[in-house]
Amino acid sequence: MNSLSPLDDYPVHQTAEPIRRVATSDRNFYDRYYFNCYPADTADVFLIVGMGQYPNLGVADGFAVLRRGDDHLVVRASKALGTDRTDTTVGPLRVEVLEGLRRLRVVLEPGHPETTDLSFDLTFDGVVPATEETPQRLRRLERVVMDTSRFVQTGRWSGTLTVDGRTRQVDPGTWLGNRDRSWGVRPVGEPEPPGRTAHEGTPGFFWIYSVMQFDDDTIVTIVQEDDHGRRLVEEAIRIRPGAGPEWLGRPEHRLVFAPGTRNVTGATLTFHRPGCETVTVECELLVPNLLGIGTGYGLEQDWRHGMWQGELVVQALRRDVREIDPALLMFCPTDHLARFRIAGSDTVGTGLFEVAVIGPHRQYGFTGFADTYPARDNDRATSDPVGNQDR
């Protein structure tokens, strides 16, 4: 079998193998794009796009998910990964790198049966440098289950977005967002036999990933904790054009939950750097995009990232969020379009607040996977089951 591809003509090899053969035989190796896009002035829609390749599974897939009011619109596609890793097209969805680390184009072609409700042609222009984040490396028993690298970048969008036949001009003066690129090893595809890990029990998953875009800079925060609040990954940096990242200190969090659920409706983040004043950011959550519903992040048994679907399969889904099973939301990571205010200043920004509180977590009183947050008199929380706000 000829394993060569066009990338082998470039001096970019990292091993003695052709580029198509990654350095590990782990089935869970992946290489992924993530984008989000929103109008900062109206904050009435929140679009998320992802695309991944899984060389050891022979699969490429992608999705677009839009939240607008109570509508949850998804277009997803999967195909057999071909010989050319530079082919970042999956059905009607494609990503084009126009200028590395600077400009990218993301397209969901109209004219397909599955893109009747949603299509777009969008170009991302970075406004801060693409910046490496802290690598994520975790083991379970002795096996490496997470070993990933990622970089992040905020920017502005231009182009068009069409929803239900109505096209909106995407003006870079008001349409913002962030993107990331990640690659490495994390669980993908069909579930593997649990083996001894079934006896060890399922660990919880506590995760905050926030990308705050202000006029002059960007703040990136990552917190991953175990059931007891012990840190597995943390990051808190400020990114400015023309400068290296600035460490802000240890990030701490206070989440507000809707009573009787695990839906996060508000948050406060604080940054503690020795010898400096504590920086506090109030996070107002505006539009919750249910990242785990229909996109491949593991909630549906028939569609997971890297799962073999066939030579090419394209599907469209539309859900009313009020009709989604509340029990499913207990396991659903949510990407919130958020507004951020730095306490003691007039600094206000917008961006991503991604959160998942799955399983036990001592700080918030969760002891298992099924318990919800109790109602208390001093909770600043809404009873809206998915945190939607009327606009």
Side-chain angles (χ1 to χ4, degrees), residues 19-193:
I19 289 293
R20 286 179 60 197
R21 297 175 180 169
V22 296
T24 175
S25 61
D26 194 317
R27 70 184 295 278
N28 289 324
F29 186 87
Y30 79 104
D31 210 334
R32 170 166 291 275
Y33 293 94
Y34 167 98
F35 304 88
N36 64 50
C37 174
Y38 61 89
D41 54 348
T42 60
D44 60 325
V45 298
F46 194 27
L47 173 69
I48 297 172
V49 181
M51 179 179 288
Q53 294 184 351
Y54 314 88
N56 294 335
L57 298 176
V59 172
D61 57 27
F63 69 87
V65 54
L66 181 99
R67 174 70 185 265
R68 183 190 63 170
D70 291 320
D71 270 339
H72 179 83
L73 281 71
V74 178
V75 177
R76 60 192 188 187
S78 177
K79 74 171 186 177
L81 180 63
T83 59
D84 186 359
R85 294 283 301 280
T86 67
D87 177 11
T88 47
T89 300
V90 186
L93 182 65
R94 73 176 184 273
V95 176
E96 301 175 10
V97 179
L98 304 178
E99 181 182 345
L101 304 183
R102 181 69 179 85
R103 297 184 72 234
L104 294 94
R105 184 183 179 206
V106 185
V107 179
L108 184 62
E109 292 279 4
H112 296 256
E114 299 83 6
T115 61
T116 301
D117 297 340
L118 176 64
S119 61
F120 48 79
D121 188 337
L122 299 167
T123 297
F124 175 92
D125 283 276
V127 297
V128 299
T131 302
E132 286 185 87
E133 299 173 355
T134 298
Q136 196 171 3
R137 295 188 176 97
L138 301 172
R139 290 181 182 269
R140 191 165 187 211
L141 296 177
E142 297 306 315
R143 183 184 181 185
V144 173
V145 294
M146 295 281 289
D147 185 7
T148 67
S149 293
R150 182 167 57 199
F151 67 75
V152 63
Q153 186 175 37
T154 54
R156 297 182 176 275
W157 290 96
S158 59
T160 57
L161 170 67
T162 302
V163 183
D164 291 337
R166 181 180 178 183
T167 298
R168 295 174 65 165
Q169 294 299 315
V170 174
D171 182 347
T174 55
W175 286 74
L176 309 179
N178 71 266
R179 73 180 187 103
D180 67 57
R181 281 279 290 113
S182 65
W183 60 93
V185 172
R186 73 179 187 191
V188 295
E190 294 85 347
E192 298 181 70

Side-chain angles (χ1 to χ4, degrees), residues 240-255:
R240 291 188 174 97
E246 174 193 1
W247 179 60
L248 296 179
R250 178 181 171 87
E252 301 290 354
H253 52 85
R254 178 182 178 270
L255 302 180

Side-chain angles (χ1 to χ4, degrees), residues 3 47 49 96 108 121 174 231 276 288 322 348 353 357 366:
S3 295
L47 173 69
V49 181
E96 301 175 10
L108 184 62
D121 188 337
T174 55
R231 290 289 164 87
C276 299
R322 296 168 297 183
V348 178
F353 190 89
V357 186
F366 299 124

Side-chain angles (χ1 to χ4, degrees), residues 209-245:
Y209 180 64
S210 187
V211 183
M212 314 174 199
Q213 188 167 357
F214 301 99
D215 287 342
D216 301 318
D217 58 21
T218 293
I219 292 177
V220 178
T221 307
I222 306 173
V223 177
Q224 184 176 357
E225 298 177 348
D226 69 8
D227 302 356
H228 299 283
R230 188 167 42 200
R231 290 289 164 87
L232 305 175
V233 181
E234 74 172 30
E235 183 85 285
I237 56 174
R238 176 182 280 116
I239 307 169
R240 291 188 174 97

Side-chain angles (χ1 to χ4, degrees), residues 336-365:
H336 296 265
L337 170 56
R339 182 175 292 116
F340 305 102
R341 293 181 174 86
I342 298 181
S345 76
D346 297 326
T347 304
V348 178
T350 52
L352 170 69
F353 190 89
E354 180 177 276
V355 62
V357 186
I358 301 170
H361 193 268
R362 179 172 295 180
Q363 177 176 340
Y364 296 107

